[in-house]
Amino acid sequence: MTRVGLVLGGGGVVGQAYHSGVLAVLQHDAGFDARTAEVVVGTSAGSITGALLRLGVSAENLAAWTVRAPLSGTEDVLRYMADAAVPELAPFRAWELLYRPLRLPGRHMVHRALTRPLQFRPMAAGMALMAPGRHDVVEQLAALRELEGPGWPEPALWICAVRRRDGRRVVFGRPRSPEAPLHLAIGASCAVPGYFAPVTIGGHSYIDGGVHSSTNAAVLRGQGLDVVIVIAPMSGPTGWRPGVFPAARRYSDRLLQREVRALRAEGIRTVVFTPGPEEQEVMGTDMMSRARLDEVVRHAFLSAGAHAAEPEVAELLRAAAAP
């Protein structure tokens, strides 16, 4: 039996739409049901998509829910989500984060920088020092809170966040990681610094796992997996277009390539789905905007379908879908 890991990267509500388009292709064209993955790693928006998969939502209905189309079957989870009020989010402008004030690093962050320099990421530390945002991400996830069960979902769901005091990545749901209610772990993973307020779990404040990496795929090393599928809305080729957002994409893409190399060094076959220039144009730069989600899903479906049809990728996906 092929052991498959699924990585769902960050990207706001637009990133969720991209996830749903790609997952629909994997289900429809390749016969891979994402709900059967051995491990799902979710970062930021990917933590929401991953949780919905673990709650039993199919790729088909995930895409339908994203664009507010009729749902098929009897999936009560999404029917509840569809009936819940969807709060409107203020526009997210990445360049505005540059003007957020920073606090001085505390002793925990300084200690980590000095004692673990190879693990310390200055970018993550800088984002952790940013003044808290004004929006309550936990409130945005109220519907998910009503759906979670008494324990953690199974099979494995790993949700990545960053501890604010020292900039360290924490993977909720992984063995020996801090315990957390599912909705708070998701909230922590989605707490974009400077936009959302940090989320407190066990006396510690956490922010978006994307400040460490928009994908965090390397956490799947050493898990005995055969295939890893990565869906990375915040990566992809940008050329050398100027601006904060293209620069953020280039940074995310460099980290993703490093993570993929680490997985392949262990003999794990890896396939990556990222938006190309056309998809990026449709996605825009406000990742909280719901204005064009139907177009994002459609473009993601078409481009992912073309990628999935490439012989090498198709062979890998057939292996992933094998019983």
Side-chain angles (χ1 to χ4, degrees):
M1 181 177 178
T2 304
R3 301 188 66 204
V4 183
L6 176 64
V7 176
L8 299 165
V13 296
V14 175
Q16 285 180 260
Y18 183 79
H19 294 151
S20 66
V22 177
L23 290 171
V25 164
L26 296 179
Q27 175 73 66
H28 184 270
D29 293 1
F32 173 69
D33 187 343
R35 295 173 294 186
T36 66
E38 185 91 7
V39 186
V40 174
V41 176
T43 299
S44 197
S47 69
I48 300 176
T49 303
L52 291 174
L53 291 173
R54 286 309 193 220
L55 290 171
V57 175
S58 67
E60 177 187 12
N61 271 339
L62 187 63
W65 170 69
T66 301
V67 299
R68 298 293 184 258
L71 302 175
S72 64
T74 57
E75 289 181 1
D76 293 335
V77 170
L78 276 191
R79 295 194 185 280
Y80 179 86
M81 295 283 287
D83 291 337
V86 179
E88 287 297 325
L89 294 170
F92 175 73
R93 302 180 179 92
W95 59 268
E96 291 183 351
L97 299 183
L98 298 177
Y99 300 99
R100 299 290 290 172
L102 299 179
R103 60 190 176 97
L104 292 175
R107 61 183 180 87
H108 297 287
M109 187 170 290
V110 172
H111 180 266
R112 182 170 176 78
L114 294 176
T115 59
R116 298 175 181 263
L118 297 180
Q119 298 179 18
F120 185 77
R121 290 194 174 174
M123 178 72 75
M127 299 290 274
L129 295 172
M130 192 174 294
R134 301 180 180 87
H135 304 286
D136 184 356
V137 67
V138 176
E139 180 183 349
Q140 306 286 328
L141 299 170
L144 274 176
R145 181 176 58 218
E146 299 300 321
L147 291 169
E148 67 183 56
W152 197 261
E154 294 182 356
L157 172 64
W158 293 0
I159 294 177
C160 301
V162 166
R163 194 165 60 193
R164 194 165 179 245
R165 75 173 189 178
D166 56 6
R168 177 188 176 187
R169 177 178 60 197
V170 174
V171 185
F172 294 106
R174 186 167 64 174
R176 297 180 296 280
S177 291
E179 294 186 3
L182 178 61
H183 75 281
L184 288 184
I186 295 172
S189 186
C190 293
V192 179
Y195 185 85
F196 287 120
V199 174
T200 301
I201 300 173
H204 295 292
S205 293
Y206 294 90
I207 57 173
D208 196 317
V211 308
H212 186 276
S213 164
S214 70
T215 44
N216 292 293
V219 300
L220 289 177
R221 290 177 299 174
Q223 300 305 308
L225 299 174
D226 302 300
V227 175
V228 169
I229 300 170
V230 182
I231 305 176
M234 287 298 296
S235 298
T238 64
W240 288 103
R241 287 182 297 162
V244 174
F245 202 79
R249 275 198 181 276
R250 286 191 287 271
Y251 178 72
S252 296
D253 204 58
R254 286 196 299 271
L255 290 180
L256 173 58
Q257 291 176 29
R258 186 188 308 171
E259 292 163 0
V260 169
R261 286 195 298 269
L263 293 173
R264 289 175 176 168
E266 289 193 354
I268 301 172
R269 293 183 292 172
T270 308
V271 60
V272 178
F273 292 88
T274 60
E278 186 175 350
E279 293 78 56
Q280 292 175 28
E281 182 69 24
V282 174
M283 294 169 80
T285 58
D286 181 0
M287 305 305 282
M288 301 300 179
S289 172
R290 305 180 192 277
R292 305 175 71 181
L293 297 186
D294 54 343
E295 293 182 62
V296 173
V297 173
R298 179 167 58 86
H299 279 78
F301 185 87
L302 294 173
S303 64
H307 185 45
E310 296 172 7
E312 184 176 350
V313 176
E315 187 276 330
L316 189 150
L317 293 177
R318 282 195 295 271

